[in-house]
Amino acid sequence: MSSPTPHRLTADLIHTEGQLRALIGEPAALTCAKITDRLNAATRLYVERSPFVCLATSDAAGRCDVSPRGDPAGFVRILDDRTLLMPERPGNRIADSLRNVLANPRVGLLFIVPGATETFRVNGRAVITTDAALLAPSALEGKTPRLGLLLDIEEAYTQCSKAFLRSHFWDPARFIDPSVLPTGGEVHRAIQGEAFDAAHYDRERAERYNRREGFY
């Protein structure tokens, strides 16, 4: 077996789970005991009250993608304790997540509830559905989604609060002024060159958002 390839910046790497466990130890039995293959009366609340979900997918070669999904709380519908339905709203048509699911059905979801520091993780297998009857209850602003992800749950468990507590994520005193970050147009200009009209791009996008064009 050939030696592991070092990273271009360092050779001090962990290559095996044995090395990893020697450094971080084993998980507590109670931590492992919370992992189940279905929802229950307690964990259903995270799904029902979450307006924002991170969707992780990967393609057949293992290249990963994480995509934000947001709608009114409960937009990921519980069909039963082992099945979820996430509506697919109009986007940029690159369709990273959908193309990945076609190649590799394994997905991960992270449910975030505003103000709550515990989150909820769901891993499983997804398929893309066009079932009109399943998608009809996901209609918003008079528009029914054409597609949805139907997810069979394989793992479901809460994630502890440490990440949100360490980051002070929900502390308004830590919120930044959005003006210190580049706009979408400015990011395009940084990639495409100074000839790109960032102000025009940002103005047109703001107008589309104000009209809620392409939201549903």
Side-chain angles (χ1 to χ4, degrees):
M1 181 180 295
S2 60
S3 299
T5 303
H7 190 273
R8 67 183 184 281
L9 298 181
T10 181
D12 294 334
L13 305 173
I14 289 176
H15 296 289
T16 68
E17 185 172 347
Q19 293 172 319
L20 177 64
R21 291 299 177 194
L23 184 65
I24 70 171
E26 298 288 340
L30 189 59
T31 299
C32 296
K34 70 180 180 180
I35 302 174
T36 183
D37 64 354
R38 67 196 64 216
L39 304 178
N40 56 48
T43 58
R44 287 173 69 101
L45 295 176
Y46 285 94
V47 179
E48 293 168 349
R49 299 185 181 184
S50 174
F52 187 84
V53 178
C54 296
L55 168 64
T57 60
S58 65
D59 66 13
R63 290 180 292 260
C64 297
D65 179 76
V66 176
S67 176
R69 293 289 194 271
D71 255 336
F75 74 98
V76 176
R77 290 175 35 235
I78 300 171
L79 303 187
D80 58 50
D81 283 348
R82 300 193 67 179
T83 317
L84 301 175
L85 179 67
M86 175 185 287
E88 181 69 17
R89 305 301 184 187
N92 57 20
R93 299 191 185 92
I94 295 176
D96 290 310
S97 300
L98 298 178
R99 289 186 296 113
N100 283 350
V101 167
L102 291 175
N104 177 2
R106 294 193 175 277
V107 303
L109 305 180
L110 179 68
F111 290 87
I112 299 173
V113 179
T117 54
E118 293 229 357
T119 53
F120 186 54
R121 297 171 63 172
V122 173
N123 300 319
R125 291 175 175 268
V127 293
I128 302 172
T129 181
T130 58
D131 188 312
L134 285 178
L135 294 167
S138 295
L140 282 174
E141 298 185 9
K143 295 183 179 180
T144 302
R146 299 168 65 189
L147 305 169
L149 288 180
L150 192 62
L151 172 68
D152 292 323
I153 298 171
E154 295 179 341
E155 294 181 318
Y157 53 99
T158 54
Q159 177 72 44
C160 78
S161 297
K162 289 180 182 176
F164 277 89
L165 295 177
R166 286 189 293 241
S167 66
H168 301 276
F169 193 84
W170 299 119
D171 181 0
R174 306 271 183 143
F175 291 178
I176 67 166
D177 183 342
S179 67
V180 306
L181 294 174
T183 66
E186 289 166 345
V187 171
H188 270 291
R189 185 170 58 197
I191 297 170
Q192 300 185 40
E194 290 301 315
F196 183 82
D197 191 340
H200 177 73
Y201 175 91
D202 290 331
R203 183 170 57 254
E204 282 201 334
R205 185 168 71 165
E207 290 170 355
R208 290 197 303 273
Y209 285 1
N210 285 338
R211 297 192 300 267
R212 297 181 68 80
E213 182 179 318
F215 271 41
Y216 300 105

